[in-house]
Amino acid sequence: HRITKSLAAPDADPELAERNPRVRTSIAAHHDELRALAAADAADFTEQCIDCVAMIDEECFVTGSDSGAICLWSVQKKKPVFIHHLAHGVFPSPTDAAEQQQPSIPPRPFWISALCAVPLTDLFLSASSDGAIRLWRMRSGKIPGFDLVNLIAVKGFVNGLSVCELPSDELLSLKRDIVVAAAVGQEPRLGRWNKMSARNVIKLYTLKALSQKSLQ
């Protein structure tokens, strides 16, 4: 895998996962949701179908389902080697419902509507309708898995993701900027059972890479 710490950082910070307050806040909120759901005995989300898939390399791929889980698969295994449950959270949030003293409404997960991997790297992106495209990085070492790296704010249903590398002046350079294209709509691509106040557009985001010197 090529070095991708810099690709996930719009502010070109190689330690983004540790320093970015948005990532830390999102991870803390996700853990709070899981604890609240476990306490309420409402954490049993059954997977009905897999909606999207993306290849990481020749041996691994990830899938996203309507249960909100992102699964990491190996071609040598019949079951996922790692599962990140409720990767984009749930609605309504258990903490919000408790604060507003609303009647008990079963929480539903934000289903994974799009997945896309950056070719020949350990970075991939996921999207839903929770207001953020999430960037994940594969873990190094023998223990399989992936961790949240960064968030890209976006409003609406993200019905598709695509990435491409911008050409570099140096042929063998690790400094490659990445362009992310997101197909955003008011409604899900598979039906009109929900609608958000958003525009039907293609949004482009550029992930800047670090210089060679800063990667050493």
Side-chain angles (χ1 to χ4, degrees):
H1 286 149
R2 179 157 41 82
I3 296 175
T4 56
K5 290 184 178 181
S6 59
L7 297 179
D11 54 353
D13 187 351
E15 303 296 337
L16 180 63
E18 299 179 1
R19 300 180 185 178
N20 191 329
R22 293 183 60 203
V23 174
R24 292 199 302 269
T25 301
S26 177
I27 293 175
H30 182 262
H31 291 168
D32 290 342
E33 282 186 346
L34 291 181
R35 282 192 288 267
L37 292 172
D41 196 21
D44 184 18
F45 296 103
T46 303
E47 181 177 282
Q48 300 294 332
C49 64
I50 293 176
D51 293 329
C52 46
V53 61
M55 186 183 74
I56 303 299
D57 54 29
E58 65 275 7
E59 295 184 353
C60 299
F61 62 95
V62 290
T63 59
S65 68
D66 59 350
S67 66
I70 299 178
C71 300
L72 174 64
W73 299 77
S74 170
V75 295
Q76 301 177 358
K77 302 289 184 180
K78 294 182 179 181
K79 295 182 179 181
V81 296
F82 180 80
I83 302 177
H84 195 295
H85 294 284
L86 304 178
H88 283 255
V90 298
F91 64 98
S93 171
T95 54
D96 293 342
E99 292 175 358
Q100 299 176 8
Q101 297 182 352
Q102 295 179 349
S104 178
I105 300 176
R108 294 177 293 173
F110 286 103
W111 69 88
I112 310 302
S113 58
L115 283 174
C116 186
V118 183
L120 303 178
T121 70
D122 55 358
L123 183 70
F124 71 93
L125 304 93
S126 67
S128 184
S129 57
D130 64 320
I133 298 172
R134 298 175 185 254
L135 284 73
W136 309 85
R137 183 184 299 126
M138 303 294 296
R139 296 173 183 171
S140 58
K142 296 182 179 180
I143 301 177
F146 49 84
D147 298 298
L148 181 65
V149 176
N150 203 357
L151 306 173
I152 300 176
V154 58
K155 184 178 181 180
F157 290 93
V158 181
N159 294 316
L161 287 172
S162 182
V163 298
C164 70
E165 287 186 326
L166 296 179
S168 176
D169 295 335
E170 301 179 12
L171 182 60
L172 300 179
S173 174
L174 294 177
K175 182 182 170 73
R176 298 286 182 89
D177 294 345
I178 299 295
V179 174
V180 180
V184 183
Q186 298 178 349
E187 302 166 339
R189 63 182 176 86
L190 297 177
R192 292 187 171 184
W193 54 79
N194 201 348
K195 189 172 184 178
M196 299 179 64
S197 177
R199 298 179 59 188
N200 298 323
V201 295
I202 301 294
K203 293 190 175 183
L204 301 178
Y205 305 91
T206 301
L207 307 182
K208 294 292 185 179
L210 288 175
S211 62
Q212 295 278 10
K213 183 181 297 185
S214 60
L215 285 173
Q216 296 177 353

